[in-house]
Amino acid sequence: MNVDPIFSRADMMEENSSIRLKKFLLKKRIVQLLYLEGNKSIPDIGRATGMSIPTITRTINELIDEGLVLDNGIGASIGGRRPNLYLLNPEARYVLGIDMGRFATRISILNLNRQIISSDGIIVSELENDESIVEKIFQKAKELIANTGIDYRKLIGVGVAFPGLIDAKSGMSQTYKNFSDRPLSRFFEDKFDLPVFVENDARVMALGESYFGLAQGKENVLCLNIGAGIGLGMILNGKLYRGNSGFAGEFGHFEVEPEGKLCICGKRGCLETVASGSAIAKRAQIDMANGMISILGRLTDENPERIDAETVVKAAQLEDQYAIGLLSEMGEQLGKGIAVLINIFNPEMIILGGKIGMAENYIIDPLQLSLNKYAISRIKRDCQIVTSKLREKSALLGAFALVIDKIFEDLKEYPNNKF
Ligand SMILES: [Zn+2]
């Protein structure tokens, strides 16, 4: 496997002599510091790592020679001589982010400043039935890499947001049978020859929100991924919550309609069958086939099969009464579910994301009314309900955070000043 000399883990080093290990850890610690906190002077880095000025100067010079660190010139004076500032070279390394959905996959390349530097690679394919999807993703990623002109060896890892249940111990998908015979990461590692980290999509979005979105600096936040299904990623006590086996957050699958419609999980009347993107698309398709009057007809050339959740949102934005009514009912149903979450978790914030999050007011207003009815008002008062500001990028940014988190994980075993 292609393992980067700095962005690899201490335990992956072939030769583990203590001097080499110390050097490696110090470089990595400096890179982490610049990644997390931006510009730093040599005295700043000395204080943060507990190492001497000559050692830091030598190490910084090596990092500059290796292209990882840039000399940013003279900083602001804080009395006395003004120190030179150093920063991480954003183009030194890249992460590949893959956001897989039930019906479409999005691929992007991000630099170390977590900016998306490639065009969007979108693959429309049904995850359930497509055996060749990993190969298609690999080909698309190669195309993006070629178009941006970056060196493949500068990729440090791949972060994948994957839908459905993923067993925490085996790393295998429990939802998609074509992905259930080996750990999910293996499917991608075999193609990419890079470290690959896979996590449930709603949880990846929560990670993105927690690092770069509205959940930044917050301890207890619930993130809802409302797309084809309904996912829930939880940040509890400042940490991503996975549950005992890695299955926590299956919020879409509790019964709201006894004897309701059949759900993809095999049960009936789940929240997902009334309040997800697929659910409202399906309802609009049936209503249109039965002669309902709506702009949806014009938007789809009178072809009900062409209605998807985004078309319903678009119709609502054109003030179509039918579509507004449909989204409003969806908001109300979601509110019933979210009321339960508020009562149980007492979160400070709930972030609505995913494709349907974009319908904003059409859903949030009825949702709030529903919360007034079903949540305990004293608990609700402390909880803000917002829509994601990262929007469709939250999973890609989360995938980036997933890779960087794993890469710096080994430093936790070697606390500061102990190199
Ligand atoms: Zn279900």
Side-chain angles (χ1 to χ4, degrees):
M1 192 189 292
N2 182 11
V3 176
D4 189 281
I6 294 292
F7 290 92
S8 60
R9 296 165 54 98
D11 56 17
M12 286 172 99
M13 288 177 66
E14 281 167 23
E15 200 188 318
N16 226 339
S17 84
S18 77
I19 294 171
R20 271 199 53 189
L21 181 65
K22 272 185 186 171
K23 224 173 155 179
F24 165 81
L25 288 169
L26 178 59
K27 277 190 182 175
K28 196 165 170 174
R29 178 75 185 97
I30 293 173
V31 167
Q32 184 194 33
L33 191 69
L34 298 178
Y35 165 71
L36 291 174
E37 298 181 19
N39 284 352
K40 285 268 171 276
S41 68
I42 284 177
D44 289 339
I45 300 168
R47 270 190 297 277
T49 57
M51 301 301 285
S52 72
I53 298 292
T55 305
I56 297 297
T57 308
R58 194 172 58 242
T59 312
I60 280 285
N61 285 333
E62 283 178 26
L63 286 168
I64 291 174
D65 289 343
E66 289 160 13
L68 279 158
V69 167
L70 299 173
D71 183 341
N72 200 27
I74 309 288
S77 173
I78 41 162
R81 204 164 70 88
R82 287 188 290 179
N84 246 34
L85 292 176
Y86 299 91
L87 80 160
L88 198 59
N89 176 6
E91 308 297 333
R93 297 289 188 276
Y94 302 92
V95 168
L96 195 68
I98 303 178
D99 174 14
M100 296 183 78
R102 228 182 272 167
F103 305 109
T105 290
R106 188 184 199 120
I107 308 161
S108 288
I109 303 167
L110 298 100
N111 69 15
L112 293 180
N113 261 352
R114 61 229 169 218
Q115 288 158 322
I116 294 172
I117 58 142
S118 62
S119 56
D120 261 338
I122 306 229
I123 298 167
V124 178
S125 179
E126 224 172 301
L127 193 53
E128 183 93 65
N129 308 313
D130 191 352
E131 301 292 327
S132 64
I133 186 149
V134 179
E135 175 62 25
K136 284 184 194 160
I137 289 171
F138 180 57
Q139 293 305 333
K140 185 54 109 183
K142 279 207 306 196
E143 193 187 307
L144 294 180
I145 292 162
N147 289 345
T148 44
I150 66 167
D151 183 345
Y152 193 89
R153 285 168 300 184
K154 285 190 170 180
L155 285 170
I156 52 175
V158 182
V160 184
F162 197 90
L165 298 178
I166 303 170
D167 186 296
K169 285 186 190 75
S170 70
M172 292 182 196
S173 171
Q174 301 289 305
T175 303
Y176 295 96
K177 294 285 165 276
N178 43 333
F179 282 98
S180 60
D181 64 333
R182 56 198 149 125
L184 281 163
S185 57
R186 199 76 60 72
F187 285 91
F188 296 90
E189 274 165 3
D190 288 350
K191 294 275 176 217
F192 284 94
D193 200 29
L194 285 166
V196 179
F197 308 100
V198 186
E199 179 63 272
N200 166 272
D201 53 357
R203 235 171 280 156
V204 172
M205 287 172 89
L207 204 59
E209 294 292 344
S210 150
Y211 273 92
F212 315 118
L214 293 168
Q216 234 173 331
K218 295 200 161 39
E219 292 277 303
N220 298 295
V221 178
L222 307 181
C223 300
L224 285 167
N225 175 17
I226 309 161
I230 301 174
L232 170 66
M234 294 178 269
I235 306 286
L236 299 177
N237 294 327
K239 281 194 192 130
L240 196 61
Y241 182 75
R242 292 187 167 83
N244 177 44
S245 328
F247 302 148
E250 287 306 310
F251 172 59
H253 302 284
F254 73 90
E255 185 187 88
V256 292
E257 276 191 338
E259 311 299 314
K261 289 179 211 77
L262 191 66
C263 179
I264 57 157
C265 74
K267 294 190 287 184
R268 278 191 185 277
C270 294
L271 182 65
E272 207 165 287
T273 65
V274 295
S276 65
S278 316
I280 56 162
K282 216 170 280 168
R283 246 191 79 186
Q285 287 173 359
I286 293 168
D287 289 349
M288 191 166 145
N290 288 333
M292 144 282 281
I293 310 282
S294 158
I295 292 177
L296 282 168
R298 184 157 58 80
L299 292 176
T300 55
D301 292 330
E302 307 297 334
N303 185 351
E305 278 177 19
R306 285 208 201 148
I307 299 178
D308 58 13
E310 283 141 302
T311 332
V312 177
V313 174
K314 203 167 165 193
Q317 284 159 346
L318 294 168
E319 289 178 29
D320 180 66
Q321 286 307 309
Y322 169 79
I324 291 173
L326 205 55
L327 290 173
S328 166
E329 266 177 58
M330 178 185 173
E332 201 188 320
Q333 294 282 12
L334 268 177
K336 278 189 203 169
I338 292 175
V340 177
L341 293 178
I342 290 179
N343 291 350
I344 294 174
F345 291 104
N346 180 207
E348 52 193 305
M349 182 180 270
I350 290 182
I351 303 179
L352 304 180
K355 279 185 182 154
I356 304 301
M358 303 201 191
E360 305 215 10
N361 294 344
Y362 297 109
I363 289 181
I364 277 210
D365 293 346
L367 191 152
Q368 292 278 17
L369 288 175
S370 187
L371 288 181
N372 291 341
K373 220 154 123 190
Y374 299 106
I376 295 171
S377 61
R378 180 63 196 86
I379 311 180
K380 191 190 93 62
R381 211 193 304 157
D382 293 338
C383 178
Q384 249 183 301
I385 316 276
V386 295
T387 48
S388 170
K389 293 284 169 284
L390 303 177
R391 299 175 76 95
E392 71 280 3
K393 284 185 193 151
S394 65
L396 290 171
L397 289 169
F400 173 85
L402 187 66
V403 173
I404 298 285
D405 249 16
K406 290 283 181 192
I407 277 168
F408 289 131
E409 204 176 40
D410 55 351
L411 289 176
K412 288 182 196 150
E413 292 161 40
Y414 304 90
N416 260 344
N417 313 333
K418 295 278 185 294
F419 291 161

